[in-house]
Amino acid sequence: MGPDILKVRGVPLRTCIGCRQTRPQKELVRICIRKSGELELDLEKNKPGRGVYICPSRECVDKGLKKDKLEHSSKARIAPESLKLFYQKGFPFIQ
């Protein structure tokens, strides 16, 4: 991300929980955390619940999708089984 992106008005910026870089929201993938503690991939970025954003790269997924980091970033509790199930579904968004 360069200084050009900061000059554009109206571009929502989000921080990746893996690499901690600020990027335009369109470049990141949203993971929704429901009240029940379930994790859900939110490609449309409109599902209800606490959301965290992550870069579509293997490195960021490996760093960011740890229970401690997710709970801290989202300020929400993650159900113990939810992270395992989320990993089993796979990550179709990784480039």
Side-chain angles (χ1 to χ4, degrees):
M1 180 180 82
D4 300 332
I5 205 106
L6 296 176
K7 292 180 185 177
V8 179
R9 289 183 162 244
V11 175
L13 299 175
R14 301 291 183 262
T15 302
C16 169
I17 62 170
C19 64
R20 304 297 301 159
Q21 287 187 347
T22 302
R23 297 177 185 260
Q25 182 179 6
K26 289 182 179 180
E27 293 179 12
L28 300 172
V29 177
R30 183 173 187 260
I31 298 171
C32 175
I33 302 160
R34 302 285 184 145
K35 286 184 180 179
S36 61
E38 295 177 45
L39 297 175
E40 189 174 345
L41 193 58
D42 184 10
L43 298 176
E44 294 84 30
K45 299 175 177 64
N46 62 0
K47 293 185 180 177
R50 300 291 297 192
V52 295
Y53 289 84
I54 194 160
C55 294
S57 71
R58 174 55 64 190
E59 296 83 26
C60 288
V61 169
D62 290 342
K63 284 182 186 177
L65 291 185
K66 295 181 180 169
K67 187 175 185 231
D68 306 357
K69 204 162 210 180
L70 275 171
E71 286 184 344
H72 180 75
S73 297
S74 65
K75 299 177 184 139
R77 283 270 187 226
I78 309 286
E81 296 291 319
S82 184
L83 195 56
K84 289 179 188 176
L85 291 173
F86 192 72
Y87 265 102
Q88 288 174 353
K89 290 180 184 175
F91 306 102
F93 59 87
I94 292 179
Q95 298 172 346

